[in-house]
Amino acid sequence: MWRRMGRAAAVSAVLGVLWWATVRLAWTGVGCEDWGCLAPAVGLVVVITLALLAGSALALERVDVRPGRRVTLVAAGVVVVLRAVGEALPSWTSSFAHAVTAAATCAGAGTVAAFVTEAGVARRWKVVTALAVVALVPIALVVSWVRFGV
């Protein structure tokens, strides 16, 4: 189980940095300053994201983290939660920090996904893990409310 989680974390971290880099390049390539190009830019980000999710499923299958599609979908859900939680944290301007954050977020999501999709893990631990991930959202909202007064 631990090796499976490590492989999922490594693949997810690499693909997280790849996603961050390609989205950054695409956003720079579109290079517009007005609302008129928001739709094409967001569309391009969605296409890149879907392509990397498909690639993630294949890459996870290659490193014996099966079923790759299910692990990918669970990891994507965890990334969305972690991204929402990240909004409550301070921001920075360093590109290196953004790349490291993308890698860490995706690695964490891949680890959680590999754990909850492992056949040998007791159902109660899967439920506890899912509840812990979901509990991060209200915690982040409270932190954000205290920090920003919103």
Side-chain angles (χ1 to χ4, degrees):
M1 173 177 70
W2 298 106
R3 286 186 175 190
R4 181 177 189 263
M5 290 168 53
R7 289 189 306 265
V11 167
S12 297
V14 168
L15 290 173
V17 172
L18 181 62
W19 176 86
W20 170 81
T22 54
V23 165
R24 185 177 169 133
L25 284 172
W27 202 263
T28 303
V30 170
C32 66
E33 301 289 330
D34 61 2
W35 288 98
C37 14
L38 184 61
V42 171
L44 189 56
V45 169
V46 169
V47 168
I48 290 168
T49 302
L50 292 175
L52 282 174
L53 282 174
S56 174
L58 294 173
L60 288 168
E61 290 280 341
R62 286 251 324 141
V63 296
D64 292 330
V65 179
R66 292 186 176 94
R69 282 180 286 193
R70 191 162 57 137
V71 175
T72 296
L73 290 174
V74 171
V78 175
V79 165
V80 169
V81 170
L82 293 177
R83 180 67 182 114
V85 170
E87 289 298 318
L89 301 174
S91 61
W92 47 79
T93 58
S94 168
S95 292
F96 178 73
H98 288 190
V100 169
T101 302
T105 300
C106 290
T111 303
V112 169
F115 178 75
V116 298
T117 58
E118 175 66 39
V121 174
R123 185 178 188 91
R124 70 179 171 272
W125 289 113
K126 293 178 182 186
V127 170
V128 167
T129 303
L131 290 174
V133 169
V134 171
L136 290 174
V137 174
I139 291 169
L141 289 172
V142 169
V143 169
S144 182
W145 181 59
V146 168
R147 186 166 174 239
F148 300 114
V150 183

